[in-house]
Amino acid sequence: MIGKVITGRSFGGCIRYVVQKNDAVILDAAGVRMQQVNQIINDFNLQRKYNPNLGKAVGHIALSWSINDAAKLNDEVMVMLAKEYLQKMKIQDTQYLIVKHRDKDHPHIHIVYNRLSNNGKTISDNFQKQRNVLVAKELTLKHGLYISPGKEKVNRQQLKGEDKIKYELFDAIRAASKKVKNINELKQVLAKQGIVTHLKYKSGTTEVQGISFSKGEYKFKGSEIDRSLSYSKLSQAIEQQQVKQEKSLADQLREVMENAKQEKGSQDKTEQTTYLKPEPETHYLRQSLSAGADLLGDLLGNIADDDDSPERKRRKKNEQQQSRGISR
């Protein structure tokens, strides 16, 4: 079960759209006559006079169910669900009109209500869209109605007409939004796929208020295709995607620079070790060998001087005697 809440200014335009739709059937009403369209409009406008200054006095809700629930939803059940929905939405003690449409495959009804209650008080529309989501989910679970698995899991091949185009737009917009940097680029990408992007501007300004998409004869607001495709949410998603991509690129660059820095440091260390290490070792080895040779020479000399063998003593004595003879 899905609800869509709208507020407007004209009971005439809203009621004519709801009642005069092909094969439309009025299921229930309160506080208004149902015989003629003009009577319904006049009755709503009469109660509106309680507060002529309330500009948007028209409340309009569309309730839709899955085609999987069609067998469960006869007219009485849909009216029962509509009344329970109104109660939980705190729309009470006021005029309403419940009309069934049969222009689509899935069951759906329209509820028109007066935001001026029967005692002249204004029915607040604060946080209605948020409350609508919670109430629709609550009733879906309570009555065991079908819960959609999400747009990603819907079998596109079974879709027809308006629903088929909606899902084609959803898929195309979601895919394109992940590749662009802003809404203008999104428009260009979608245009190549035959999808026209329409921006709604605030009167007399360049401030964008909304976005719509069209393909062929069908045109939908972004939020009608999916809540994530409203202008604000779509812009935010593109911006976040861009920040994420830029952050990822920056992280990659930092990683490359850090790896290059570490590699350069490793090379410098290797070159320094290769150059310095042999030189000190060769120098000290040369000094050690030289000192060892001197020490060995002294040692050998001392060993020779200490030789007191009889032959050596005899030679020394002869040398001394000859020296004395010469001196005389």
Side-chain angles (χ1 to χ4, degrees), residues 57-75:
V58 182
H60 178 195
I61 298 168
L63 292 181
S64 303
W65 294 270
S66 167
I67 192 171
N68 296 290
D69 291 323
K72 303 178 183 178
L73 297 173
N74 56 34
D75 293 350

Side-chain angles (χ1 to χ4, degrees), residues 12 37 42 61 76 94 106 141 144 147 170 176 186 212 297 310:
V37 173
N42 290 337
I61 298 168
E76 290 75 15
T94 190
H106 63 272
L141 294 172
I147 299 178
F170 173 80
L186 179 66
S212 300

Side-chain angles (χ1 to χ4, degrees), residues 52-198:
N53 295 324
L54 180 62
K56 293 186 175 182
V58 182
H60 178 195
I61 298 168
L63 292 181
S64 303
W65 294 270
S66 167
I67 192 171
N68 296 290
D69 291 323
K72 303 178 183 178
L73 297 173
N74 56 34
D75 293 350
E76 290 75 15
V77 172
M78 284 192 285
V79 170
M80 179 270 294
L81 290 172
K83 289 182 177 179
E84 189 173 357
Y85 173 88
L86 290 174
Q87 180 187 8
K88 291 185 177 296
M89 288 288 289
K90 299 181 180 180
I91 301 172
Q92 298 173 292
D93 300 321
T94 190
Q95 298 168 307
Y96 68 78
L97 179 72
I98 302 175
V99 180
K100 177 176 71 172
H101 282 183
R102 293 180 287 189
D103 58 329
K104 298 179 181 179
D105 294 334
H106 63 272
H108 64 286
I109 60 174
H110 292 261
I111 306 172
V112 182
Y113 69 93
N114 200 328
R115 291 192 57 224
L116 267 299
S117 68
N118 297 332
N119 55 16
K121 293 183 179 181
T122 301
I123 297 174
S124 174
D125 61 350
N126 291 336
F127 308 109
Q128 266 198 328
K129 292 184 179 180
Q130 294 89 332
R131 190 183 300 120
N132 160 67
V133 175
L134 296 175
V135 171
K137 184 176 181 180
E138 179 184 348
L139 294 180
T140 298
L141 294 172
K142 177 182 177 180
H143 295 281
L145 300 172
Y146 179 78
I147 299 178
S148 172
K151 286 185 170 62
E152 290 80 2
K153 297 182 180 180
V154 171
N155 187 347
R156 270 60 169 167
Q157 295 180 352
Q158 294 182 353
L159 298 175
K160 298 178 181 179
E162 181 178 302
D163 289 335
K164 181 180 180 180
I165 298 299
K166 268 190 178 181
Y167 277 86
E168 288 179 358
L169 291 172
F170 173 80
D171 293 337
I173 297 166
R174 285 289 294 271
S177 65
K178 296 178 181 180
K179 302 176 183 179
V180 299
K181 298 179 181 179
N182 50 55
I183 294 295
N184 287 331
E185 285 191 11
L186 179 66
K187 291 173 62 176
Q188 295 172 7
V189 173
L190 294 178
K192 295 177 181 179
Q193 304 176 49
I195 299 171
V196 181
T197 304
H198 309 268

Side-chain angles (χ1 to χ4, degrees), residues 218-230:
Y218 296 99
K219 180 179 178 180
F220 307 97
K221 294 180 179 178
S223 57
E224 288 179 328
I225 300 171
D226 190 81
R227 290 185 178 89
S228 65
L229 300 184
S230 66

